[in-house]
Amino acid sequence: MRVYPTFFRLAFSWMDAERAHKIGFKGIRLAHASRAGRVLQKLTAPAPSLQTTAFGVTFPSPFGLAAGFDKEGHGIEALADLGFGHIEVGTITGQAQPGNDKPRLFRLVQDRAVINRMGFNNDGASAVAPRLKAARAALQRRYPSVRPVIGVNIGKTKVVELADAVDDYLVSARSLAPAADYLVVNVSSPNTPGLRLLQDVETLRPLLTAVGQEADRAAGRHVPLLVKIAPDLSDEDIDDVARLALDLKLDGIISTNTTIAREGLASPAETVEKCGAGGLSGAPLKQRSLEVLKRLKHATGNALSLVSVGGVESAQDVQERLDAGATLVQGYTAFLYEGPFWAARINKQLARNRRS
């Protein structure tokens, strides 16, 4: 019997979602700071059979935590204690910014979903970079063979005009690439005005080219570069992004970000309307995310790594994405509903399936 769903209902379901997130994240970090962290590391460590290689990097498990949970690199080691094969930090911007006005995070419990319009609230690239460097060194000490991987997701600062977006992304790439195992260019959040316009291939080409070159120069090595796209792109636009990724020899594509769609929800319409604008994540995204993954796989073959995210809740979901062509799979929203041992349960079931 799982205790966390009852705990969530009693302790968190009535609370402002952003406040609940902060309290839960603080609890995870406190556990890491105590002796419990070492115990958790042993209990949740993925089985060796789950080791996965993507873009030249070895991951202890194909299942990781998507960007958005740890926006500023405060809890990378603590989250690694829970069994995630990688932790993607961010979205981080070139300049510090407070994000959008509160409230800006809302649960749709009936749909096992979340609507957010956080707006890339973060301390800025220069402040986050030392945290990433320290976390990377600590993970290397604690996991001498195969350590959890650190991904870094970067986006545009809100006050920066679209015409100056490339230079803004380069600030982040310059600061963060040296401590990143891979770098993600986020052009698909609906919460920064105009950002999704950067998904147009003619705009995306110079952005990805410049970020890739600057990241490698700053790090003194090749930093795998991925782009994160929205589920709301048309099939034709998805094909265009796939062709661009192949042309630029990107290392991968992450599909998908949150959606602005609201169709097919079980929650009352007035509840959804009260939440307002923002990106929807969680179970309702499952079908579209899988469709985008399959389309990308058809378009790119084995030429690059595909990272699937959106509506992932169980080991069965993870396996379905892997079978459909993903190299890695990420989750986030279900973590809020399933609790701290979610990744460990998924890893154990994946390992059990591989033995059978």
Side-chain angles (χ1 to χ4, degrees):
M1 178 179 175
R2 285 168 41 223
V3 175
Y4 187 82
T6 301
F7 175 79
F8 170 82
R9 187 175 67 254
L10 296 176
F12 287 143
S13 63
W14 54 270
M15 190 185 298
D16 171 76
E18 187 169 354
R19 181 168 177 244
H21 172 83
K22 289 180 179 179
I23 291 172
F25 193 14
K26 185 176 181 179
I28 291 170
R29 298 200 303 273
L30 286 174
H32 169 74
S34 70
R35 292 185 180 274
R38 291 289 183 178
V39 175
L40 281 172
Q41 181 184 337
K42 293 178 180 179
L43 291 176
T44 66
S49 63
L50 295 182
Q51 289 183 14
T52 302
T53 299
F55 36 80
V57 179
T58 301
F59 294 69
S61 164
F63 183 61
L65 183 61
F69 191 92
D70 186 355
K71 292 179 176 294
E72 302 171 308
H74 285 299
I76 297 170
E77 295 173 69
L79 291 165
D81 287 343
L82 303 182
F84 290 105
H86 65 278
I87 296 96
E88 190 170 307
V89 178
T91 296
I92 303 165
T93 53
Q95 301 175 34
Q97 58 185 24
N100 294 324
D101 294 338
K102 299 178 182 180
R104 54 194 181 181
L105 185 65
F106 311 88
R107 303 184 204 89
L108 298 178
V109 178
Q110 288 179 253
D111 292 286
R112 294 179 64 81
V114 165
I115 291 175
N116 94 83
R117 51 172 175 273
M118 302 297 289
F120 293 169
N121 53 303
N122 74 106
D123 293 336
S126 62
V128 175
R131 298 172 198 157
L132 298 179
K133 183 178 179 181
R136 196 167 191 257
L139 290 178
Q140 287 173 333
R141 291 192 300 269
R142 293 183 64 192
Y143 300 85
S145 53
V146 179
R147 64 168 174 81
V149 169
I150 301 174
V152 181
N153 184 301
I154 61 175
K156 186 184 80 68
T157 305
K158 185 175 181 178
V159 298
V160 171
E161 299 293 334
L162 279 179
D164 301 316
V166 172
D167 288 339
D168 185 56
Y169 276 91
L170 292 183
V171 171
S172 296
R174 196 173 302 124
S175 297
L176 301 168
D181 291 312
Y182 69 88
L183 195 66
V184 183
V185 172
N186 185 352
V187 289
S188 50
S189 169
N191 300 317
T192 296
L195 183 72
R196 286 188 168 196
L197 296 174
L198 295 175
Q199 290 178 114
D200 177 80
V201 292
E202 295 308 315
T203 308
L204 195 54
R205 180 183 295 274
L207 171 61
L208 293 173
T209 300
V211 169
Q213 291 173 349
E214 185 61 18
D216 289 357
R217 187 203 64 77
R221 58 182 168 87
H222 175 58
V223 180
L225 182 65
L226 296 83
V227 63
K228 187 169 186 176
I229 64 172
D232 307 310
L233 289 177
S234 68
D235 288 345
E236 292 74 17
D237 287 338
I238 292 169
D239 293 342
D240 286 343
V241 171
R243 282 190 289 269
L244 178 63
L246 293 173
D247 187 39
L248 295 181
K249 294 181 170 57
L250 292 187
D251 295 279
I253 300 173
I254 298 184
S255 65
T256 60
N257 212 318
T258 58
T259 180
I260 58 174
R262 299 289 189 269
E263 291 84 13
L265 299 177
S267 300
E270 57 269 24
T271 300
V272 178
E273 290 172 9
K274 188 176 179 181
C275 294
L280 174 75
S281 63
L285 229 63
K286 186 177 298 187
Q287 186 58 40
R288 179 55 181 166
S289 178
L290 185 58
E291 290 172 358
V292 175
L293 168 65
K294 290 179 178 179
R295 192 168 190 95
L296 286 171
K297 184 63 178 178
H298 178 76
T300 62
N302 297 319
L304 45 74
S305 295
L306 300 177
V307 184
S308 186
V309 56
V312 173
E313 298 189 283
S314 66
Q316 182 179 350
D317 293 334
V318 174
Q319 192 60 57
E320 184 178 32
R321 305 301 172 93
L322 296 173
D323 293 342
T327 308
L328 302 170
V329 180
Q330 296 179 340
Y332 170 16
T333 302
F335 189 24
L336 310 181
Y337 292 107
E338 292 291 321
F341 296 104
W342 176 54
R345 286 198 302 272
I346 286 177
N347 285 330
K348 287 179 181 178
Q349 186 61 53
L350 290 174
R352 193 176 298 123
N353 293 345
R354 294 189 180 190
R355 289 196 301 268
S356 60

